[in-house]
Amino acid sequence: KKVSKMDENKIIEIISQGENSAVEFKEKNVKKESIAKEFVAFSNSYGGVLMIGVGDQKEILGVDSVFNYEEWIMNIARQNIIPAITPIYEKVLLDDKEIIVINIAKGKNKPYQTINNKYLIRIGSTNRVASQDELMRLYQQSGFFHYDLNGVDYTSMTDLNLTQIDKYFQRYDIDFLSESENEKLILLRNTDIMTSENQCTVAGLLLFGINPQRRLFNSSITVAMFKGNEINSELIDKKTIDGTIDIQVDTAVALINNLIPEASTIEGTKRVALSKNFKTIVFRELLVNAVVHRNYSILGSQIRIFIFDNRIEFKSPGRLPNTISVDKIRAGVSYAINPVIVKFMENLRYIDKLGRGIPMVCNEVKKIDKSINFEEQGEEFCVTLYL
C-alpha cells in the first residue's frame, strides 16, 4: 500500500542511516532461515526494523509484487522461531518500487531461538550466537533462572558474619549461635543463604558476607562527583563503597547528602534554604532499587553514582526484565530479578512490600518541581535526578 508522506519520510530517514543495531536490509531473494535469524536477534535484544527490498548500500531494489510476502513472513514468525513472535508487517511504495517493512518488538519471552537451536543477539549491525554469560542473562530476564541463588565457588560458612546472621534470626525468635553446627547449616540452606553443597549463595554473601567483594568482584557502589555537566569534566571526588549491600546503601546515602550542599543564605539569625532539595528517602529508594535489581552476573561493572552540577545519575548493571517497561516502573510495577535478595531486604525493612517505592520517588520529585528520568542504556539501567 501507499504510505503517508510523513511515514515515507521516516522510512527514507531510517534507510539513509544504514544498517545498525536496530535496522537490517535484505534483498527480495532472501531465504527464510536468514529472516528467522534476524527475528531471533532483534527479539533477544531491543527490537528493530527489517526491510526487504533494500540493498546493503541503501539502494531501493524493490520486491516481487505478485509474491505473498505477508503470509510468508508470518509463517516464519510462527514456525521458525521458538517461542513464536508477532511482527508488524507493512508493504510500502518508495521510488515506484514496493518494499517490505517489518517491525520486531523487544521480546517479552526471552530467550528466543531458531528451529536450529541458535540463540542469537544483535551486536551493532550484525548477529552473533549468544555466549554462555549472555544466554544466562537472557534467562534471568525471563525469570527462568535467578543468579542470586547460585553458589559462589571457594566459599563456606567461614565467609559469613555469623553475628549478623544471629541478629537477623533473632527477629524470628531463633537463637542461631546456640544451634549445633548441623542445625546452623540446615537453617542457612533453608533460607537460601547457603546451597545444599554448603557454598554461600550470591544473596547470602551480599547480605551476610564478611568480605563479599573478595569473591563477588565489583559488587560495589562507586560515587563520583564532577565539576561540570559532562563525564569528562574535572573529577572532584570519587569513592568506592564495599561491604554488604545494606551497608553500601547506608554509606552511599550519607555520602551523597554530604556531597550535595544545599544552597542557602542568612536571614537575621537563621540560615534559610534558597532551593528545595531532594529528601534522603529519594536517594535511599533509588540506591536500594539499584542493589536489589542489578545483574550480579555482570562481573565487570559496578553500580555507579555520578554527581554533576545539574543532575545525579544512578547507573545499575543489567537490563529490565522482559515484562517490565519504564511506564510500569513509574506505576509501581516491579519484578524480582534477585528474589532472595529482595526477600532479605524486605525483612531488613529496606523495601516496601507494597511496591510504593518508585511512585513515592516520582511524587517527591514532583513536589519540589524537579524531574526524573528512567532509561535503559545498553547493558545498564539509568535513573537521572535533575537538580
Side-chain angles (χ1 to χ4, degrees), residues 137 140 147 293-298 316-319 337-338:
R137 290 171 204 160
Q140 277 186 272
Y147 187 76
H293 296 302
R294 76 152 281 184
N295 188 333
Y296 287 96
S297 70
I298 304 176
S316 181
R319 300 179 186 177
I337 295 175
N338 302 303

Side-chain angles (χ1 to χ4, degrees), residues 18-224:
E19 293 180 323
N20 54 50
S21 61
V23 177
E24 178 70 22
F25 303 144
K26 296 292 183 185
E27 296 186 19
K28 64 180 182 180
N29 58 352
V30 60
K31 295 181 179 179
K32 65 180 180 180
E33 291 80 13
S34 180
I35 296 290
K37 287 179 180 179
E38 301 300 338
F39 284 178
V40 166
F42 279 136
S43 297
N44 278 334
S45 303
Y46 293 98
V49 178
L50 173 63
M51 295 187 182
I52 303 177
V54 181
D56 290 339
Q57 302 305 313
K58 301 182 280 190
E59 64 272 30
I60 308 299
L61 302 173
V63 296
D64 294 328
S65 57
V66 295
F67 183 73
N68 190 340
Y69 279 97
E70 184 170 10
E71 182 180 350
W72 184 65
I73 289 295
M74 293 306 173
N75 282 337
I76 293 172
R78 283 191 295 265
Q79 299 170 10
N80 292 67
I81 297 168
I82 305 170
I85 66 166
T86 306
I88 298 173
Y89 173 96
E90 189 173 16
K91 183 183 286 187
V92 301
L93 193 64
L94 289 180
D95 298 341
D96 295 324
K97 295 176 181 176
E98 289 183 340
I99 68 168
I100 308 301
V101 179
I102 306 158
N103 278 278
I104 302 99
K106 172 185 174 182
K108 292 183 178 180
N109 297 303
K110 299 174 186 174
Y112 294 83
Q113 61 178 309
T114 67
I115 55 173
N116 298 321
N117 304 315
K118 287 189 176 179
Y119 294 91
L120 300 162
I121 57 173
R122 188 81 175 173
I123 303 293
S125 61
T126 61
N127 305 325
R128 66 172 172 79
V129 175
S131 67
Q132 186 176 4
D133 285 347
E134 290 162 338
L135 186 57
M136 180 173 62
R137 290 171 204 160
L138 290 172
Y139 273 109
Q140 277 186 272
Q141 288 176 277
S142 71
F144 294 145
F145 167 76
H146 298 296
Y147 187 76
D148 62 342
L149 276 167
N150 264 22
V152 181
D153 290 339
Y154 311 113
T155 60
S156 65
M157 197 191 297
T158 59
D159 293 283
L160 297 172
N161 186 330
L162 300 186
T163 303
Q164 284 301 111
I165 292 174
D166 180 61
K167 185 178 177 182
Y168 174 81
F169 278 121
Q170 280 176 12
R171 67 184 66 209
Y172 303 106
D173 295 323
I174 297 172
D175 189 354
F176 179 78
L177 292 180
S178 298
E179 299 287 348
S180 67
E181 289 300 300
N182 188 53
E183 286 298 320
K184 285 177 184 173
L185 275 174
I186 291 171
L187 270 171
L188 295 175
R189 290 172 188 159
N190 288 343
T191 51
D192 295 318
I193 296 173
M194 295 190 75
T195 68
S196 57
E197 290 79 27
N198 296 336
Q199 291 181 326
C200 300
T201 63
V202 170
L205 209 56
L206 287 170
L207 268 303
F208 302 107
I210 294 171
N211 180 10
Q213 287 70 36
R214 184 182 174 208
R215 300 298 181 194
L216 297 174
F217 312 111
N218 288 319
S219 59
S220 312
I221 298 176
T222 295
V223 180

Side-chain angles (χ1 to χ4, degrees), residues 132-358:
Q132 186 176 4
D133 285 347
E134 290 162 338
L135 186 57
M136 180 173 62
R137 290 171 204 160
L138 290 172
Y139 273 109
Q140 277 186 272
Q141 288 176 277
S142 71
F144 294 145
F145 167 76
H146 298 296
Y147 187 76
D148 62 342
L149 276 167
N150 264 22
V152 181
D153 290 339
Y154 311 113
T155 60
S156 65
M157 197 191 297
T158 59
D159 293 283
L160 297 172
N161 186 330
L162 300 186
T163 303
Q164 284 301 111
I165 292 174
D166 180 61
K167 185 178 177 182
Y168 174 81
F169 278 121
Q170 280 176 12
R171 67 184 66 209
Y172 303 106
D173 295 323
I174 297 172
D175 189 354
F176 179 78
L177 292 180
S178 298
E179 299 287 348
S180 67
E181 289 300 300
N182 188 53
E183 286 298 320
K184 285 177 184 173
L185 275 174
I186 291 171
L187 270 171
L188 295 175
R189 290 172 188 159
N190 288 343
T191 51
D192 295 318
I193 296 173
M194 295 190 75
T195 68
S196 57
E197 290 79 27
N198 296 336
Q199 291 181 326
C200 300
T201 63
V202 170
L205 209 56
L206 287 170
L207 268 303
F208 302 107
I210 294 171
N211 180 10
Q213 287 70 36
R214 184 182 174 208
R215 300 298 181 194
L216 297 174
F217 312 111
N218 288 319
S219 59
S220 312
I221 298 176
T222 295
V223 180
M225 187 174 190
F226 299 88
K227 185 177 183 180
N229 295 323
E230 304 299 329
I231 196 69
N232 57 0
S233 302
E234 179 188 347
L235 180 64
I236 298 174
D237 198 0
K238 181 181 179 182
K239 286 184 171 61
T240 298
I241 303 167
D242 291 331
T244 54
I245 57 177
D246 55 328
I247 290 174
Q248 288 183 43
V249 168
D250 293 341
T251 307
V253 168
L255 185 57
I256 292 170
N257 278 328
N258 187 52
L259 289 173
I260 304 177
E262 186 175 43
S264 61
T265 187
I266 301 295
E267 291 185 7
T269 59
K270 293 183 178 179
R271 181 171 292 277
V272 180
L274 291 175
S275 61
K276 296 176 181 177
N277 258 0
F278 295 105
K279 291 182 179 179
T280 296
I281 194 172
V282 170
F283 301 140
R284 178 183 165 95
E285 183 63 34
L286 294 179
L287 283 161
V288 168
N289 269 274
V291 299
V292 163
H293 296 302
R294 76 152 281 184
N295 188 333
Y296 287 96
S297 70
I298 304 176
L299 300 177
S301 299
Q302 298 174 322
I303 292 170
R304 296 176 296 157
I305 315 300
F306 292 157
I307 303 174
F308 299 96
D309 288 348
N310 68 343
R311 69 191 187 280
I312 309 175
E313 294 180 352
F314 297 78
K315 292 177 175 286
S316 181
R319 300 179 186 177
L320 293 175
N322 291 353
T323 56
I324 300 299
S325 65
V326 167
D327 288 338
K328 287 184 177 182
I329 286 173
R330 286 181 176 273
V333 177
S334 65
Y335 179 90
I337 295 175
N338 302 303
V340 185
I341 293 175
V342 168
K343 174 188 71 177
F344 283 121
M345 291 296 274
E346 280 181 347
N347 293 343
L348 291 169
R349 308 293 170 83
Y350 278 82
I351 295 177
D352 183 331
K353 291 184 181 181
L354 299 178
R356 297 176 295 187
I358 293 302

